[in-house]
Amino acid sequence: RELRQKELEERQLRNQLEFRVAERTLELSKANDTLREEIRIRRETQHALRASEERFAKAFRASPDAMAITRHSDGRIIEVNERWQELFECSRDGAIGRTLDELRIFADAGERRRIVQAMGTQGFVKDLELSLCSCSGTEIRGVVSAERVQMGNERCVVSTVRDITARRRAEHEIEVQRRELAHLGRWKPQQIEAIRSVKHTLLEANA
């Protein structure tokens, strides 16, 4: 009888052990499934992030507008595209590590303050027309947009400048011509003919 009781106890212990092993195996299996799913999601996220970064890099390089990336912490330039180098007449090596103030990009301190204020209150600037300067001192009229972004572990600002210098110059010339025509419209035909005659005489004299 004692032997049977001992065998029964051993059988119960084995059953309990097998149950615990099975229970633990199931827990480990579920943990492995969860880990594999987390790894899959992480890989997909990393792949999507790399793809997004590649698309941004291509768009950044190929943009017809001047683009720059600056660190939010100190305002130093960490990247510029080719159009930025052309517009501001400054090489990539000459721009990286410097601030826009050091390069004297802003022609008007008041306009610079407008950008700083807008970035501080709303985190972006959209289609703000400003007077700018190239590194050689050439005046530029540009439409500026800027936005704070997170790049890896660093907060940055991506800014875009669309050059409208030629357009504004053409508009100014058209306005000057319009005023001249309006002024001539108030003159008598005899006065206009006299001016034409003088111009013709001067041209013949210089021929």
Side-chain angles (χ1 to χ4, degrees):
R1 181 180 296 178
E2 292 180 359
L3 182 59
R4 289 181 180 178
Q5 182 65 29
K6 188 175 181 180
E7 289 176 351
L8 179 60
E9 290 176 355
E10 289 178 352
R11 190 179 302 115
Q12 289 175 342
L13 288 173
R14 282 198 302 270
N15 291 339
Q16 290 176 1
L17 181 59
E18 289 174 358
F19 176 78
R20 290 177 181 176
V21 170
E23 188 177 44
R24 184 57 178 161
T25 301
L26 180 61
E27 291 175 356
L28 289 173
S29 178
K30 289 181 178 179
N32 287 335
D33 290 342
T34 301
L35 181 59
R36 281 194 292 269
E37 181 65 13
E38 290 177 353
I39 292 173
R40 183 188 66 80
I41 293 173
R42 188 178 296 114
R43 285 176 177 171
E44 289 180 354
T45 302
Q46 291 174 345
H47 177 73
L49 180 60
R50 282 195 299 270
S52 177
E53 289 174 346
E54 289 174 2
R55 286 194 298 270
F56 174 80
K58 289 179 181 178
F60 181 84
R61 289 192 298 267
S63 174
D65 294 329
M67 296 186 69
I69 303 173
T70 56
R71 275 198 302 266
H72 181 264
S73 58
D74 59 10
R76 298 200 176 276
I77 297 171
I78 59 178
E79 191 58 273
V80 295
N81 68 353
E82 289 187 12
R83 178 58 184 139
W84 192 97
Q85 297 174 65
E86 294 170 358
L87 180 62
F88 291 102
E89 300 176 291
C90 180
S91 69
R92 179 176 179 273
D93 291 340
I96 289 179
R98 304 180 70 185
T99 67
L100 298 178
D101 287 340
E102 290 173 351
L103 296 175
R104 298 182 179 180
I105 296 299
F106 296 102
D108 189 303
E111 292 184 340
R112 178 191 176 280
R113 285 194 294 270
R114 287 171 61 194
I115 289 185
V116 172
Q117 184 177 8
M119 292 298 296
T121 56
Q122 58 193 27
F124 68 91
V125 171
K126 185 172 177 61
D127 297 336
L128 187 62
E129 186 171 334
L130 301 175
S131 294
L132 307 170
C133 283
S134 73
C135 292
S136 66
T138 303
E139 293 182 4
I140 299 167
R141 195 65 181 171
V143 176
V144 178
S145 296
E147 185 173 2
R148 283 201 300 256
V149 297
Q150 189 73 26
M151 292 188 168
N153 297 323
E154 194 162 43
R155 294 180 70 189
C156 300
V157 175
V158 177
S159 59
T160 302
V161 179
R162 186 167 66 255
D163 181 19
I164 59 169
T165 307
R167 184 202 307 174
R168 289 291 180 258
R169 187 180 297 119
E171 290 173 351
H172 174 72
E173 291 175 356
I174 290 172
E175 179 62 20
V176 170
Q177 292 178 4
R178 187 191 67 77
R179 290 178 181 177
E180 289 178 351
L181 290 173
H183 182 65
L184 288 174
R186 292 192 295 269
W187 288 16
K188 295 179 180 180
Q190 296 88 344
Q191 292 174 312
I192 296 175
E193 186 59 35
I195 291 174
R196 287 176 178 169
S197 177
V198 170
K199 286 184 176 180
H200 181 70
T201 301
L202 290 172
L203 288 172
E204 285 185 341
N206 293 325

